[in-house]
Amino acid sequence: MGSVLALSSSPGHHKWPFSTEPPPSRWDVHPAHWDSPPRWERRDGRLPNPGSFHSLHRSCKDVFPHQIEGVKMIVNKTLSSFFKVSHTLHLSAVSPSYYRFHVEHLQSDDYSKDKDAPALIGEMDSSGSLNAHALLHLSERVRARTVFQTQQSQFVTWQFETEYRGSDFTAAVTVANPDILRESVILVAHFLQSVSSGLVLGGELVYHRGRAEEGGILTLAGQYSRPNWVVTLNAGKGGAHVSYYHRANKQIQVGVEFEASTRTQETTTSFGYQMELPEANMVFRGMINSRCIIGGVLEKRLTPLPATLIMGAFVNHRGDKLQVGLGVNVG
């Protein structure tokens, strides 16, 4: 059910890098064109479209480093303007090692005749688990998305989402894991409205029904943005999530997150930053949080080779744990 959770309540940074859960793959991240501003967005002074609900905190989250542990090698190959594949080999002493094959057939904006072509994304690892996306622009404002996930030979997620983007609002409905025999289903509804040029308000309603339980969670959301900073708030019965993103200059970006969960009775504050050094072809991301976890990831472009070297380390001072990773991204 990772895809539904990604839509409704994205996991916070306090769980990694010392969580027992496997790190998220690129499958858990929506394709860039899915969240990009629509081509019909008004630029005549009227209110803009607010975008998707699940991308509200994206500006802040992109500043934080992603966990890297063990040795990882990624080889990307672009076969055409529409089709590309990648191979990932991860060797780890903490979690099971794996090989993952990723393939994408994306629509291209280079030719107007292909603007409504579907986007197909698939991924399979060495354990036999499969992740599959299908995205389709039904019209200029309506998008549909289908998700299937299997864990080895068992289906774990089947999900259908429809999103409508108006001139100044976005509405989306998701149906996940409908099962007539077990009388269970999960429904997620999102709505965002641009109130002013910088203020967005909206909410999310998650309803789940099963034989043993039934209930719903309402979460209210708001975002205020200016040219160099963004403040976002989600608050509801399940907890609260506040993020602040600030772009100091062309090289430095910072982000602060506060997360509180009523289920686990835990609160976490995280600070992250990103520093870009274009002259050295390097990007460094670092973080520290209230659970005494400090980490950083350095990405170095190995020009003129089409490769990027990734080095990272995360230290949990409270748990006296250390994780170090090295990766190479080719292509």
Side-chain angles (χ1 to χ4, degrees):
M1 196 105 29
S3 188
V4 176
L5 296 178
L7 290 174
S8 57
S9 57
S10 301
H13 296 285
H14 64 277
K15 288 187 178 181
W16 55 263
F18 302 100
S19 171
T20 56
E21 300 177 359
S25 66
R26 286 178 297 170
W27 140 265
D28 296 313
V29 181
H30 294 267
H33 72 281
W34 179 257
D35 293 317
S36 59
R39 291 185 291 271
W40 41 264
E41 181 176 327
R42 297 177 177 176
R43 303 186 184 278
D44 54 2
R46 300 186 182 183
L47 297 181
N49 180 272
S52 299
F53 187 92
H54 50 71
S55 62
L56 284 175
H57 295 274
R58 174 161 296 181
S59 297
C60 181
K61 287 186 176 295
D62 287 346
V63 173
F64 286 78
H66 293 284
Q67 175 189 1
I68 179 172
E69 185 274 327
V71 178
K72 178 181 291 187
M73 183 173 183
I74 303 175
V75 179
N76 304 292
K77 178 64 175 179
T78 300
L79 303 179
S80 69
S81 59
F82 301 95
F83 194 70
K84 63 180 181 179
V85 299
S86 68
H87 306 267
T88 302
L89 178 63
H90 184 206
L91 303 178
S92 172
V94 178
S95 59
S97 301
Y98 63 84
Y99 163 78
R100 178 182 296 148
F101 176 71
H102 182 93
V103 59
E104 295 183 9
H105 182 279
L106 300 179
Q107 61 191 38
S108 174
D109 292 330
D110 297 334
Y111 306 97
S112 59
K113 64 180 180 180
D114 297 318
K115 66 180 181 179
D116 295 325
L120 305 176
I121 304 173
E123 188 174 274
M124 176 174 284
D125 61 24
S126 53
S127 67
S129 299
L130 172 68
N131 300 322
H133 277 201
L135 303 98
L136 178 64
H137 287 261
L138 300 178
S139 69
E140 195 174 18
R141 297 174 181 261
V142 180
R143 309 177 184 196
R145 177 169 176 259
T146 303
V147 175
F148 291 96
Q149 284 183 315
T150 67
Q151 186 172 359
Q152 296 180 354
S153 61
Q154 295 183 346
F155 272 96
V156 293
T157 299
W158 49 100
Q159 176 179 315
F160 310 94
E161 176 185 356
T162 301
E163 181 184 77
Y164 179 84
R165 294 198 177 189
S167 58
D168 59 357
F169 72 91
T170 299
V173 176
T174 302
V175 180
N177 291 18
D179 192 327
I180 299 177
L181 299 179
R182 298 182 179 180
E183 300 179 356
S184 63
V185 68
I186 298 176
L187 299 176
V188 183
H190 296 149
F191 182 80
L192 288 178
Q193 173 71 56
S194 293
V195 180
S196 67
S197 59
L199 180 62
V200 174
L201 298 177
E204 172 192 70
L205 177 62
V206 180
Y207 169 80
H208 62 92
R209 176 174 179 172
R211 291 181 177 178
E213 58 180 359
E214 179 180 7
I217 299 177
L218 175 64
T219 302
L220 301 179
Q223 183 182 79
Y224 187 75
S225 59
R226 303 307 298 169
N228 294 329
W229 55 271
V230 180
V231 177
T232 307
L233 168 65
N234 288 27
K237 183 179 179 181
H241 183 189
V242 184
S243 68
Y244 173 75
Y245 164 82
H246 187 93
R247 187 177 188 93
N249 51 48
K250 293 182 179 181
Q251 286 76 38
I252 300 177
Q253 305 174 57
V254 297
V256 180
E257 279 193 318
F258 172 79
E259 295 176 281
S261 172
T262 57
R263 181 177 61 87
T264 61
Q265 299 296 313
E266 293 182 352
T267 60
T268 304
T269 303
S270 304
F271 171 80
Y273 65 94
Q274 174 179 310
M275 178 181 299
E276 300 181 23
L277 302 174
E279 297 81 2
N281 296 317
M282 290 195 306
V283 177
F284 180 80
R285 294 180 177 89
M287 60 83 62
I288 182 173
N289 66 16
S290 57
R291 302 186 66 185
C292 299
I293 297 177
I294 301 176
V297 173
L298 175 66
E299 299 181 12
K300 167 67 175 179
R301 186 72 178 178
L302 303 178
T303 54
L305 299 176
T308 301
L309 177 65
I310 305 172
M311 297 178 290
F314 294 86
V315 180
N316 186 339
H317 290 279
R318 183 178 299 177
D320 195 20
K321 296 180 181 180
L322 170 66
Q323 286 188 1
V324 179
L326 175 66
V328 178
N329 193 328
V330 181

